[in-house]
Amino acid sequence: TPEKLQEIKEEKNAEEISQLNEKIRNEPDNFNLLVERGKKYLEMEMCDDARLDLKSAMKIKPHEISVINLNAEILMKEEKYADALKEWDKIIIAKSDDQIAWFNKAICQSELKKFEEAIKSYTRYISLNSFDHRAYYDRGICYYMLNKSIEGCADLMVAEKLGGEKEMWLRHELCD
């Protein structure tokens, strides 16, 4: 059952956090362990704990990409999209082909209703990963928000062909 699966996942996460806690007790300035535990806390939607690990990691390596990435992910969970967008831009400046950064930048722009910019970011992401149906779906929605239904339908059709189930329903709703 879904409840049982959730319970198993929570137990596994708790065990992993416990193991990381023990390692960090032995090596309190271990950057990689702090980032790893911060990511685990974020996965568990424990943003305050994730932020504490982020701050500790930033004291060790303030300009490390993984720290900026973790901060951006926390900000997105907290729905602070403008701040997250700045962090994704830092990553893109350092690594222009970072797929995750482009995808998340586009999400932030969409959430901020910056649809033209989001389309450009999704397009860049698609140039790096042309098989992700989510990007076509999201870009298609941005086109619709700008009343560009032809472009929107084209993207929804590609998303559907790449295996997106929700894209099929929405394409039929908007394009037929």
Side-chain angles (χ1 to χ4, degrees):
T1 65
E3 295 83 19
K4 184 67 175 169
L5 288 175
Q6 182 63 28
E7 184 180 319
I8 292 169
K9 183 178 179 183
E10 287 173 7
E11 288 174 11
K12 181 178 181 266
N13 285 338
E15 177 62 29
E16 289 176 13
I17 290 290
S18 178
Q19 290 171 358
L20 287 166
N21 286 342
E22 185 61 34
K23 289 178 183 178
I24 290 170
R25 265 192 286 286
N26 294 328
E27 300 179 65
D29 293 329
N30 186 315
F31 173 82
N32 292 329
L33 290 174
L34 290 166
V35 171
E36 185 180 345
R37 186 175 67 180
K39 288 180 180 179
K40 181 55 66 178
Y41 279 137
L42 183 62
E43 183 182 313
M44 298 168 65
E45 299 192 15
M46 299 170 67
C47 291
D48 291 340
D49 292 318
R51 187 159 303 287
L52 288 174
D53 280 345
L54 172 67
K55 287 180 182 178
S56 296
M58 286 179 90
K59 289 177 187 173
I60 300 166
K61 295 182 182 180
H63 302 292
E64 180 70 28
I65 294 291
S66 59
V67 170
I68 299 168
N69 187 16
L70 179 58
N71 189 41
E73 289 179 19
I74 292 169
L75 290 165
M76 286 182 72
K77 281 269 193 211
E78 296 172 336
E79 298 182 8
K80 296 177 182 175
Y81 298 109
D83 292 334
L85 183 58
K86 292 174 190 171
E87 298 300 293
W88 294 122
D89 279 335
K90 289 178 190 176
I91 294 170
I92 289 168
I93 288 168
K95 189 177 175 197
S96 64
D97 62 347
D98 190 304
Q99 294 179 28
I100 294 169
W102 281 107
F103 188 77
N104 286 322
K105 176 179 179 169
I107 290 171
C108 290
Q109 291 165 325
S110 295
E111 291 292 336
L112 294 168
K113 311 248 183 289
K114 297 180 177 184
F115 300 116
E116 290 283 353
E117 293 174 34
I119 289 168
K120 291 176 186 173
S121 295
Y122 282 122
T123 300
R124 176 65 174 123
Y125 172 77
I126 289 167
S127 76
L128 298 168
N129 182 358
S130 62
F131 298 104
D132 188 342
H133 67 90
R134 299 170 307 162
Y136 291 98
Y137 173 82
D138 291 350
R139 188 175 70 176
I141 297 301
C142 290
Y143 279 127
Y144 271 100
M145 297 306 289
L146 295 172
N147 294 315
K148 296 181 177 182
S149 59
I150 294 171
E151 294 91 338
C153 280
D155 273 353
L156 291 176
M157 284 193 290
V158 172
E160 181 182 355
K161 287 178 184 171
L162 290 174
E165 291 181 22
K166 69 179 178 181
E167 291 81 351
M168 183 174 69
W169 170 85
L170 189 59
R171 186 187 66 75
H172 288 295
E173 186 75 23
L174 298 175
C175 304
D176 288 345

